[in-house]
Amino acid sequence: AQKITQTQPGMFVQEKEAVTLDCTYDTSDQSYGLFWYKQPSSGEMIFLIYQGSYDEQNATEGRYSLNFQKARKSANLVISASQLGDSAMYFCAMRDEAWEGGATNKLIFGTGTLLAVQP
Amino acid sequence: DGGITQSPKYLFRKEGQNVTLSCEQNLNHDAMYWYRQDPGQGLRLIYYSQIVNDFQKGDIAEGYSVSREKKESFPLTVTSAQKNPTAFYLCASSIDRSGGASNEQFFGPGTRLTVL
């Protein structure tokens, strides 16, 4: 069974500093996708970044980068130059490709990390 | 503007009553999903639909039902059989069921259901 583990329930970071949010995953699939979503207090889930299992380069999207270490099964999110608006819950998720014989785009989520950016 | 709408934002019901949560999208997406979120937990998949008139159970489908009569709409009914229905419910959609960087799931604003 596939599983996502986020071991940091909460994190503090000073404004303008970088922060790393940890994510490890478990899967026996060779082809999979890893996602990070941001959930502000309003509740909506906002897509941040995607990494495919066969992508050789780490994904980057503006201030977000994904530190993908396939052998260690980790997909940590790095936020550079933190801003007050980055304060939110962050979820790591994995796309399930091996379910009932066909691709489904089903997502499996971790329990999240609450990030607080301090001025 | 394209997006996903869920209404209402907050919903209160008495125990034993069925309640239907709406989810509408105008993104022309084939696939739609319903997730449940409890405090301190991640999202868990309730049901999903890859195409009109077809849907499959997710990890926690017991006590829920769905329909997909139109591409734009994927309502979720929380029945009286659901033992602990109070939660935050999120609807999502994607272009289709395939993977890849261009096929992320887009989420609606959510409905917070409280059963008294």
Side-chain angles (χ1 to χ4, degrees):
Chain A
Q2 294 168 319
K3 186 178 180 181
I4 293 282
T5 302
Q6 295 180 255
T7 58
Q8 304 157 313
M11 292 275 290
F12 286 101
V13 65
Q14 289 295 124
E15 194 177 7
K16 299 181 184 178
E17 291 185 352
V19 63
T20 297
L21 306 183
D22 294 340
C23 172
T24 58
Y25 60 92
D26 189 19
T27 181
S28 56
D29 291 340
Q30 296 302 309
S31 178
Y32 50 89
L34 296 156
F35 298 79
W36 278 91
Y37 281 86
K38 172 184 178 181
Q39 187 179 41
S41 57
S42 60
E44 188 171 354
M45 297 286 283
I46 302 168
F47 166 73
L48 296 178
I49 197 167
Y50 165 88
Q51 178 84 42
S53 59
Y54 290 115
D55 295 340
E56 295 184 352
Q57 303 272 355
N58 285 344
T60 60
E61 289 287 348
R63 294 186 298 110
Y64 304 108
S65 61
L66 200 153
N67 184 2
F68 181 47
Q69 298 188 40
K70 195 170 182 177
R72 299 178 63 180
K73 293 189 175 179
S74 73
N76 298 339
L77 177 71
V78 180
I79 305 175
S80 63
S82 297
Q83 302 172 356
L84 295 178
D86 293 335
S87 295
M89 280 290 287
Y90 288 82
F91 290 95
C92 180
M94 179 165 59
R95 175 169 53 84
D96 179 359
E97 285 196 338
W99 193 38
E100 296 180 356
T104 66
N105 203 4
K106 171 187 173 185
L107 288 176
I108 298 166
F109 285 84
T111 53
T113 296
L114 180 61
L115 178 66
V117 180
Q118 298 176 315
Chain B
D1 289 335
I4 302 175
T5 57
Q6 291 184 246
S7 60
K9 179 79 171 173
Y10 299 95
L11 192 56
F12 298 88
R13 281 295 181 269
K14 291 183 179 179
E15 191 173 348
Q17 289 182 334
N18 291 357
V19 60
T20 297
L21 282 58
S22 77
C23 176
E24 303 279 332
Q25 55 97 0
N26 60 4
L27 299 168
N28 200 32
H29 285 173
D30 283 327
M32 297 186 74
Y33 312 81
W34 272 107
Y35 293 90
R36 169 182 172 138
Q37 186 178 23
D38 294 286
Q41 297 191 33
L43 280 65
R44 292 181 291 168
L45 184 66
I46 304 173
Y47 267 98
Y48 80 105
S49 169
Q50 296 175 347
I51 199 167
V52 175
N53 292 321
D54 182 63
F55 49 83
Q56 277 80 40
K57 293 181 179 180
D59 299 319
I60 54 167
E62 185 175 352
Y64 299 97
S65 65
V66 293
S67 63
R68 186 84 187 278
E69 297 176 0
K70 298 187 299 182
K71 188 175 186 177
E72 303 79 20
S73 179
F74 190 42
L76 173 75
T77 297
V78 184
T79 74
S80 57
Q82 169 51 233
K83 300 301 181 187
N84 186 19
T86 294
F88 187 54
Y89 291 87
L90 285 155
C91 178
S93 71
S94 63
I95 294 172
D96 54 33
R97 66 178 183 178
S98 65
S102 61
N103 196 22
E104 74 268 23
Q105 291 187 18
F106 292 84
F107 284 81
T111 292
R112 193 167 299 279
L113 173 65
T114 302
V115 175
L116 306 172

PDB file of all heavy atoms in Angstrom, chain A residues 25-55:
ATOM      1  N   TYR A  25       7.834   8.934   1.350  1.00  0.00           N
ATOM      2  CA  TYR A  25       6.736   8.173   0.765  1.00  0.00           C
ATOM      3  C   TYR A  25       7.131   6.714   0.636  1.00  0.00           C
ATOM      4  O   TYR A  25       8.323   6.367   0.682  1.00  0.00           O
ATOM      5  CB  TYR A  25       6.357   8.761  -0.598  1.00  0.00           C
ATOM      6  CG  TYR A  25       7.482   8.741  -1.612  1.00  0.00           C
ATOM      7  CD1 TYR A  25       7.643   7.667  -2.479  1.00  0.00           C
ATOM      8  CD2 TYR A  25       8.377   9.809  -1.699  1.00  0.00           C
ATOM      9  CE1 TYR A  25       8.671   7.644  -3.397  1.00  0.00           C
ATOM     10  CE2 TYR A  25       9.416   9.790  -2.621  1.00  0.00           C
ATOM     11  CZ  TYR A  25       9.559   8.708  -3.467  1.00  0.00           C
ATOM     12  OH  TYR A  25      10.591   8.695  -4.374  1.00  0.00           O
ATOM     13  N   ASP A  26       6.126   5.896   0.487  1.00  0.00           N
ATOM     14  CA  ASP A  26       6.344   4.466   0.328  1.00  0.00           C
ATOM     15  C   ASP A  26       5.468   3.970  -0.802  1.00  0.00           C
ATOM     16  O   ASP A  26       4.244   4.176  -0.787  1.00  0.00           O
ATOM     17  CB  ASP A  26       6.007   3.733   1.628  1.00  0.00           C
ATOM     18  CG  ASP A  26       6.417   2.270   1.578  1.00  0.00           C
ATOM     19  OD1 ASP A  26       7.258   1.914   0.727  1.00  0.00           O
ATOM     20  OD2 ASP A  26       5.896   1.477   2.395  1.00  0.00           O
ATOM     21  N   THR A  27       6.076   3.362  -1.783  1.00  0.00           N
ATOM     22  CA  THR A  27       5.346   2.790  -2.902  1.00  0.00           C
ATOM     23  C   THR A  27       6.196   1.728  -3.569  1.00  0.00           C
ATOM     24  O   THR A  27       7.427   1.788  -3.524  1.00  0.00           O
ATOM     25  CB  THR A  27       4.972   3.868  -3.927  1.00  0.00           C
ATOM     26  OG1 THR A  27       4.227   3.267  -4.992  1.00  0.00           O
ATOM     27  CG2 THR A  27       6.207   4.528  -4.530  1.00  0.00           C
ATOM     28  N   SER A  28       5.517   0.766  -4.167  1.00  0.00           N
ATOM     29  CA  SER A  28       6.220  -0.251  -4.944  1.00  0.00           C
ATOM     30  C   SER A  28       6.125   0.040  -6.450  1.00  0.00           C
ATOM     31  O   SER A  28       6.701  -0.682  -7.256  1.00  0.00           O
ATOM     32  CB  SER A  28       5.634  -1.634  -4.640  1.00  0.00           C
ATOM     33  OG  SER A  28       4.249  -1.643  -4.887  1.00  0.00           O
ATOM     34  N   ASP A  29       5.402   1.106  -6.794  1.00  0.00           N
ATOM     35  CA  ASP A  29       5.270   1.483  -8.198  1.00  0.00           C
ATOM     36  C   ASP A  29       6.568   2.098  -8.710  1.00  0.00           C
ATOM     37  O   ASP A  29       7.306   2.749  -7.953  1.00  0.00           O
ATOM     38  CB  ASP A  29       4.139   2.503  -8.379  1.00  0.00           C
ATOM     39  CG  ASP A  29       2.777   1.891  -8.142  1.00  0.00           C
ATOM     40  OD1 ASP A  29       2.665   0.655  -8.221  1.00  0.00           O
ATOM     41  OD2 ASP A  29       1.833   2.655  -7.868  1.00  0.00           O
ATOM     42  N   GLN A  30       6.824   1.919  -9.993  1.00  0.00           N
ATOM     43  CA  GLN A  30       7.983   2.532 -10.622  1.00  0.00           C
ATOM     44  C   GLN A  30       7.654   3.921 -11.150  1.00  0.00           C
ATOM     45  O   GLN A  30       8.514   4.797 -11.236  1.00  0.00           O
ATOM     46  CB  GLN A  30       8.483   1.648 -11.776  1.00  0.00           C
ATOM     47  CG  GLN A  30       8.986   0.279 -11.324  1.00  0.00           C
ATOM     48  CD  GLN A  30      10.113   0.394 -10.322  1.00  0.00           C
ATOM     49  OE1 GLN A  30      11.104   1.097 -10.548  1.00  0.00           O
ATOM     50  NE2 GLN A  30       9.970  -0.277  -9.182  1.00  0.00           N
ATOM     51  N   SER A  31       6.385   4.126 -11.518  1.00  0.00           N
ATOM     52  CA  SER A  31       5.957   5.398 -12.078  1.00  0.00           C
ATOM     53  C   SER A  31       4.937   6.035 -11.146  1.00  0.00           C
ATOM     54  O   SER A  31       3.883   5.465 -10.895  1.00  0.00           O
ATOM     55  CB  SER A  31       5.349   5.177 -13.460  1.00  0.00           C
ATOM     56  OG  SER A  31       4.896   6.407 -14.000  1.00  0.00           O
ATOM     57  N   TYR A  32       5.260   7.211 -10.643  1.00  0.00           N
ATOM     58  CA  TYR A  32       4.359   7.891  -9.720  1.00  0.00           C
ATOM     59  C   TYR A  32       4.650   9.388  -9.762  1.00  0.00           C
ATOM     60  O   TYR A  32       5.663   9.829 -10.316  1.00  0.00           O
ATOM     61  CB  TYR A  32       4.515   7.365  -8.278  1.00  0.00           C
ATOM     62  CG  TYR A  32       5.938   7.316  -7.796  1.00  0.00           C
ATOM     63  CD1 TYR A  32       6.517   8.414  -7.170  1.00  0.00           C
ATOM     64  CD2 TYR A  32       6.713   6.173  -7.975  1.00  0.00           C
ATOM     65  CE1 TYR A  32       7.833   8.374  -6.747  1.00  0.00           C
ATOM     66  CE2 TYR A  32       8.026   6.123  -7.555  1.00  0.00           C
ATOM     67  CZ  TYR A  32       8.585   7.217  -6.938  1.00  0.00           C
ATOM     68  OH  TYR A  32       9.893   7.174  -6.523  1.00  0.00           O
ATOM     69  N   GLY A  33       3.749  10.148  -9.201  1.00  0.00           N
ATOM     70  CA  GLY A  33       3.918  11.589  -9.139  1.00  0.00           C
ATOM     71  C   GLY A  33       3.814  12.072  -7.702  1.00  0.00           C
ATOM     72  O   GLY A  33       3.058  11.512  -6.909  1.00  0.00           O
ATOM     73  N   LEU A  34       4.552  13.100  -7.381  1.00  0.00           N
ATOM     74  CA  LEU A  34       4.540  13.676  -6.039  1.00  0.00           C
ATOM     75  C   LEU A  34       4.107  15.128  -6.122  1.00  0.00           C
ATOM     76  O   LEU A  34       4.535  15.861  -7.011  1.00  0.00           O
ATOM     77  CB  LEU A  34       5.917  13.556  -5.397  1.00  0.00           C
ATOM     78  CG  LEU A  34       6.364  12.111  -5.154  1.00  0.00           C
ATOM     79  CD1 LEU A  34       7.867  12.012  -5.085  1.00  0.00           C
ATOM     80  CD2 LEU A  34       5.716  11.551  -3.906  1.00  0.00           C
ATOM     81  N   PHE A  35       3.248  15.532  -5.222  1.00  0.00           N
ATOM     82  CA  PHE A  35       2.667  16.868  -5.243  1.00  0.00           C
ATOM     83  C   PHE A  35       2.824  17.531  -3.878  1.00  0.00           C
ATOM     84  O   PHE A  35       2.866  16.859  -2.843  1.00  0.00           O
ATOM     85  CB  PHE A  35       1.156  16.795  -5.536  1.00  0.00           C
ATOM     86  CG  PHE A  35       0.799  16.199  -6.864  1.00  0.00           C
ATOM     87  CD1 PHE A  35       0.813  14.828  -7.063  1.00  0.00           C
ATOM     88  CD2 PHE A  35       0.412  17.016  -7.908  1.00  0.00           C
ATOM     89  CE1 PHE A  35       0.474  14.277  -8.290  1.00  0.00           C
ATOM     90  CE2 PHE A  35       0.056  16.480  -9.138  1.00  0.00           C
ATOM     91  CZ  PHE A  35       0.090  15.110  -9.319  1.00  0.00           C
ATOM     92  N   TRP A  36       2.843  18.837  -3.898  1.00  0.00           N
ATOM     93  CA  TRP A  36       2.696  19.632  -2.686  1.00  0.00           C
ATOM     94  C   TRP A  36       1.536  20.605  -2.881  1.00  0.00           C
ATOM     95  O   TRP A  36       1.436  21.259  -3.936  1.00  0.00           O
ATOM     96  CB  TRP A  36       3.962  20.424  -2.357  1.00  0.00           C
ATOM     97  CG  TRP A  36       4.992  19.604  -1.640  1.00  0.00           C
ATOM     98  CD1 TRP A  36       6.003  18.876  -2.181  1.00  0.00           C
ATOM     99  CD2 TRP A  36       5.100  19.428  -0.219  1.00  0.00           C
ATOM    100  NE1 TRP A  36       6.741  18.263  -1.206  1.00  0.00           N
ATOM    101  CE2 TRP A  36       6.213  18.590   0.020  1.00  0.00           C
ATOM    102  CE3 TRP A  36       4.377  19.915   0.879  1.00  0.00           C
ATOM    103  CZ2 TRP A  36       6.619  18.221   1.307  1.00  0.00           C
ATOM    104  CZ3 TRP A  36       4.773  19.548   2.149  1.00  0.00           C
ATOM    105  CH2 TRP A  36       5.885  18.712   2.361  1.00  0.00           C
ATOM    106  N   TYR A  37       0.678  20.662  -1.851  1.00  0.00           N
ATOM    107  CA  TYR A  37      -0.442  21.584  -1.837  1.00  0.00           C
ATOM    108  C   TYR A  37      -0.347  22.451  -0.595  1.00  0.00           C
ATOM    109  O   TYR A  37       0.117  22.016   0.460  1.00  0.00           O
ATOM    110  CB  TYR A  37      -1.782  20.837  -1.800  1.00  0.00           C
ATOM    111  CG  TYR A  37      -2.252  20.292  -3.130  1.00  0.00           C
ATOM    112  CD1 TYR A  37      -1.824  19.045  -3.581  1.00  0.00           C
ATOM    113  CD2 TYR A  37      -3.131  21.023  -3.918  1.00  0.00           C
ATOM    114  CE1 TYR A  37      -2.262  18.551  -4.798  1.00  0.00           C
ATOM    115  CE2 TYR A  37      -3.582  20.523  -5.143  1.00  0.00           C
ATOM    116  CZ  TYR A  37      -3.139  19.296  -5.566  1.00  0.00           C
ATOM    117  OH  TYR A  37      -3.583  18.800  -6.766  1.00  0.00           O
ATOM    118  N   LYS A  38      -0.842  23.682  -0.735  1.00  0.00           N
ATOM    119  CA  LYS A  38      -0.902  24.632   0.386  1.00  0.00           C
ATOM    120  C   LYS A  38      -2.367  24.827   0.762  1.00  0.00           C
ATOM    121  O   LYS A  38      -3.226  24.980  -0.116  1.00  0.00           O
ATOM    122  CB  LYS A  38      -0.307  25.975  -0.050  1.00  0.00           C
ATOM    123  CG  LYS A  38      -0.456  27.118   0.936  1.00  0.00           C
ATOM    124  CD  LYS A  38       0.094  28.404   0.331  1.00  0.00           C
ATOM    125  CE  LYS A  38      -0.077  29.583   1.265  1.00  0.00           C
ATOM    126  NZ  LYS A  38       0.448  30.845   0.650  1.00  0.00           N
ATOM    127  N   GLN A  39      -2.667  24.804   2.058  1.00  0.00           N
ATOM    128  CA  GLN A  39      -4.033  25.041   2.514  1.00  0.00           C
ATOM    129  C   GLN A  39      -4.049  26.190   3.511  1.00  0.00           C
ATOM    130  O   GLN A  39      -3.732  26.019   4.690  1.00  0.00           O
ATOM    131  CB  GLN A  39      -4.628  23.776   3.156  1.00  0.00           C
ATOM    132  CG  GLN A  39      -6.108  23.930   3.494  1.00  0.00           C
ATOM    133  CD  GLN A  39      -6.710  22.673   4.104  1.00  0.00           C
ATOM    134  OE1 GLN A  39      -6.101  22.014   4.931  1.00  0.00           O
ATOM    135  NE2 GLN A  39      -7.921  22.325   3.669  1.00  0.00           N
ATOM    136  N   PRO A  40      -4.435  27.387   3.070  1.00  0.00           N
ATOM    137  CA  PRO A  40      -4.562  28.514   4.007  1.00  0.00           C
ATOM    138  C   PRO A  40      -5.733  28.283   4.954  1.00  0.00           C
ATOM    139  O   PRO A  40      -6.481  27.320   4.805  1.00  0.00           O
ATOM    140  CB  PRO A  40      -4.828  29.706   3.083  1.00  0.00           C
ATOM    141  CG  PRO A  40      -4.637  29.223   1.694  1.00  0.00           C
ATOM    142  CD  PRO A  40      -4.771  27.726   1.698  1.00  0.00           C
ATOM    143  N   SER A  41      -5.908  29.199   5.869  1.00  0.00           N
ATOM    144  CA  SER A  41      -6.984  29.052   6.858  1.00  0.00           C
ATOM    145  C   SER A  41      -8.363  29.061   6.202  1.00  0.00           C
ATOM    146  O   SER A  41      -9.330  28.578   6.794  1.00  0.00           O
ATOM    147  CB  SER A  41      -6.892  30.159   7.907  1.00  0.00           C
ATOM    148  OG  SER A  41      -6.934  31.428   7.282  1.00  0.00           O
ATOM    149  N   SER A  42      -8.472  29.576   5.001  1.00  0.00           N
ATOM    150  CA  SER A  42      -9.760  29.574   4.283  1.00  0.00           C
ATOM    151  C   SER A  42     -10.192  28.158   3.891  1.00  0.00           C
ATOM    152  O   SER A  42     -11.372  27.911   3.633  1.00  0.00           O
ATOM    153  CB  SER A  42      -9.664  30.439   3.033  1.00  0.00           C
ATOM    154  OG  SER A  42      -8.655  29.943   2.170  1.00  0.00           O
ATOM    155  N   GLY A  43      -9.243  27.229   3.827  1.00  0.00           N
ATOM    156  CA  GLY A  43      -9.587  25.837   3.570  1.00  0.00           C
ATOM    157  C   GLY A  43      -9.311  25.342   2.165  1.00  0.00           C
ATOM    158  O   GLY A  43      -9.228  24.133   1.950  1.00  0.00           O
ATOM    159  N   GLU A  44      -9.201  26.226   1.204  1.00  0.00           N
ATOM    160  CA  GLU A  44      -8.993  25.787  -0.173  1.00  0.00           C
ATOM    161  C   GLU A  44      -7.600  25.204  -0.349  1.00  0.00           C
ATOM    162  O   GLU A  44      -6.638  25.669   0.230  1.00  0.00           O
ATOM    163  CB  GLU A  44      -9.184  26.971  -1.123  1.00  0.00           C
ATOM    164  CG  GLU A  44      -9.184  26.622  -2.576  1.00  0.00           C
ATOM    165  CD  GLU A  44      -9.596  27.787  -3.449  1.00  0.00           C
ATOM    166  OE1 GLU A  44      -9.989  28.823  -2.895  1.00  0.00           O
ATOM    167  OE2 GLU A  44      -9.527  27.647  -4.682  1.00  0.00           O
ATOM    168  N   MET A  45      -7.491  24.159  -1.147  1.00  0.00           N
ATOM    169  CA  MET A  45      -6.212  23.526  -1.428  1.00  0.00           C
ATOM    170  C   MET A  45      -5.620  24.154  -2.692  1.00  0.00           C
ATOM    171  O   MET A  45      -6.267  24.191  -3.740  1.00  0.00           O
ATOM    172  CB  MET A  45      -6.393  22.022  -1.658  1.00  0.00           C
ATOM    173  CG  MET A  45      -6.926  21.285  -0.456  1.00  0.00           C
ATOM    174  SD  MET A  45      -5.712  21.074   0.829  1.00  0.00           S
ATOM    175  CE  MET A  45      -4.742  19.745   0.142  1.00  0.00           C
ATOM    176  N   ILE A  46      -4.375  24.624  -2.580  1.00  0.00           N
ATOM    177  CA  ILE A  46      -3.715  25.305  -3.689  1.00  0.00           C
ATOM    178  C   ILE A  46      -2.528  24.473  -4.147  1.00  0.00           C
ATOM    179  O   ILE A  46      -1.616  24.186  -3.357  1.00  0.00           O
ATOM    180  CB  ILE A  46      -3.238  26.707  -3.262  1.00  0.00           C
ATOM    181  CG1 ILE A  46      -4.426  27.537  -2.777  1.00  0.00           C
ATOM    182  CG2 ILE A  46      -2.513  27.414  -4.405  1.00  0.00           C
ATOM    183  CD1 ILE A  46      -4.033  28.808  -2.066  1.00  0.00           C
ATOM    184  N   PHE A  47      -2.508  24.087  -5.414  1.00  0.00           N
ATOM    185  CA  PHE A  47      -1.413  23.300  -5.972  1.00  0.00           C
ATOM    186  C   PHE A  47      -0.147  24.149  -6.041  1.00  0.00           C
ATOM    187  O   PHE A  47      -0.176  25.298  -6.496  1.00  0.00           O
ATOM    188  CB  PHE A  47      -1.799  22.809  -7.363  1.00  0.00           C
ATOM    189  CG  PHE A  47      -0.663  22.274  -8.166  1.00  0.00           C
ATOM    190  CD1 PHE A  47      -0.108  21.045  -7.852  1.00  0.00           C
ATOM    191  CD2 PHE A  47      -0.135  22.993  -9.225  1.00  0.00           C
ATOM    192  CE1 PHE A  47       0.948  20.542  -8.596  1.00  0.00           C
ATOM    193  CE2 PHE A  47       0.913  22.498  -9.968  1.00  0.00           C
ATOM    194  CZ  PHE A  47       1.463  21.266  -9.657  1.00  0.00           C
ATOM    195  N   LEU A  48       0.973  23.578  -5.573  1.00  0.00           N
ATOM    196  CA  LEU A  48       2.237  24.302  -5.577  1.00  0.00           C
ATOM    197  C   LEU A  48       3.232  23.765  -6.596  1.00  0.00           C
ATOM    198  O   LEU A  48       3.814  24.524  -7.380  1.00  0.00           O
ATOM    199  CB  LEU A  48       2.885  24.246  -4.192  1.00  0.00           C
ATOM    200  CG  LEU A  48       2.158  24.923  -3.033  1.00  0.00           C
ATOM    201  CD1 LEU A  48       2.931  24.710  -1.745  1.00  0.00           C
ATOM    202  CD2 LEU A  48       1.942  26.392  -3.322  1.00  0.00           C
ATOM    203  N   ILE A  49       3.452  22.433  -6.564  1.00  0.00           N
ATOM    204  CA  ILE A  49       4.552  21.894  -7.343  1.00  0.00           C
ATOM    205  C   ILE A  49       4.361  20.404  -7.552  1.00  0.00           C
ATOM    206  O   ILE A  49       3.717  19.726  -6.731  1.00  0.00           O
ATOM    207  CB  ILE A  49       5.891  22.196  -6.628  1.00  0.00           C
ATOM    208  CG1 ILE A  49       7.086  22.040  -7.574  1.00  0.00           C
ATOM    209  CG2 ILE A  49       6.045  21.366  -5.368  1.00  0.00           C
ATOM    210  CD1 ILE A  49       8.365  22.637  -7.002  1.00  0.00           C
ATOM    211  N   TYR A  50       4.902  19.908  -8.662  1.00  0.00           N
ATOM    212  CA  TYR A  50       4.788  18.489  -9.023  1.00  0.00           C
ATOM    213  C   TYR A  50       6.161  17.942  -9.414  1.00  0.00           C
ATOM    214  O   TYR A  50       6.962  18.642 -10.063  1.00  0.00           O
ATOM    215  CB  TYR A  50       3.826  18.339 -10.199  1.00  0.00           C
ATOM    216  CG  TYR A  50       3.890  16.996 -10.890  1.00  0.00           C
ATOM    217  CD1 TYR A  50       3.113  15.934 -10.436  1.00  0.00           C
ATOM    218  CD2 TYR A  50       4.725  16.780 -11.985  1.00  0.00           C
ATOM    219  CE1 TYR A  50       3.167  14.700 -11.064  1.00  0.00           C
ATOM    220  CE2 TYR A  50       4.789  15.549 -12.607  1.00  0.00           C
ATOM    221  CZ  TYR A  50       4.006  14.517 -12.143  1.00  0.00           C
ATOM    222  OH  TYR A  50       4.072  13.289 -12.753  1.00  0.00           O
ATOM    223  N   GLN A  51       6.389  16.680  -9.028  1.00  0.00           N
ATOM    224  CA  GLN A  51       7.617  15.983  -9.416  1.00  0.00           C
ATOM    225  C   GLN A  51       7.252  14.595  -9.912  1.00  0.00           C
ATOM    226  O   GLN A  51       6.613  13.828  -9.186  1.00  0.00           O
ATOM    227  CB  GLN A  51       8.555  15.851  -8.214  1.00  0.00           C
ATOM    228  CG  GLN A  51       9.844  15.092  -8.485  1.00  0.00           C
ATOM    229  CD  GLN A  51      10.931  15.973  -9.082  1.00  0.00           C
ATOM    230  OE1 GLN A  51      11.129  17.104  -8.678  1.00  0.00           O
ATOM    231  NE2 GLN A  51      11.671  15.430 -10.032  1.00  0.00           N
ATOM    232  N   GLY A  52       7.631  14.259 -11.124  1.00  0.00           N
ATOM    233  CA  GLY A  52       7.421  12.923 -11.636  1.00  0.00           C
ATOM    234  C   GLY A  52       8.570  12.019 -11.234  1.00  0.00           C
ATOM    235  O   GLY A  52       9.713  12.468 -11.114  1.00  0.00           O
ATOM    236  N   SER A  53       8.280  10.734 -11.059  1.00  0.00           N
ATOM    237  CA  SER A  53       9.305   9.815 -10.576  1.00  0.00           C
ATOM    238  C   SER A  53      10.448   9.644 -11.563  1.00  0.00           C
ATOM    239  O   SER A  53      11.556   9.267 -11.180  1.00  0.00           O
ATOM    240  CB  SER A  53       8.686   8.457 -10.245  1.00  0.00           C
ATOM    241  OG  SER A  53       8.062   7.896 -11.385  1.00  0.00           O
ATOM    242  N   TYR A  54      10.209   9.918 -12.834  1.00  0.00           N
ATOM    243  CA  TYR A  54      11.255   9.776 -13.830  1.00  0.00           C
ATOM    244  C   TYR A  54      11.937  11.100 -14.169  1.00  0.00           C
ATOM    245  O   TYR A  54      12.833  11.142 -15.012  1.00  0.00           O
ATOM    246  CB  TYR A  54      10.676   9.150 -15.101  1.00  0.00           C
ATOM    247  CG  TYR A  54      10.303   7.696 -14.928  1.00  0.00           C
ATOM    248  CD1 TYR A  54       8.977   7.287 -15.015  1.00  0.00           C
ATOM    249  CD2 TYR A  54      11.262   6.730 -14.660  1.00  0.00           C
ATOM    250  CE1 TYR A  54       8.626   5.960 -14.849  1.00  0.00           C
ATOM    251  CE2 TYR A  54      10.924   5.394 -14.497  1.00  0.00           C
ATOM    252  CZ  TYR A  54       9.602   5.021 -14.594  1.00  0.00           C
ATOM    253  OH  TYR A  54       9.255   3.702 -14.425  1.00  0.00           O
ATOM    254  N   ASP A  55      11.489  12.167 -13.540  1.00  0.00           N
ATOM    255  CA  ASP A  55      12.121  13.475 -13.793  1.00  0.00           C
ATOM    256  C   ASP A  55      13.511  13.498 -13.169  1.00  0.00           C
ATOM    257  O   ASP A  55      13.664  13.225 -11.973  1.00  0.00           O
ATOM    258  CB  ASP A  55      11.271  14.610 -13.197  1.00  0.00           C
ATOM    259  CG  ASP A  55       9.931  14.743 -13.873  1.00  0.00           C
ATOM    260  OD1 ASP A  55       9.801  14.236 -15.015  1.00  0.00           O
ATOM    261  OD2 ASP A  55       9.015  15.352 -13.288  1.00  0.00           O
TER     262      ASP A  55
END
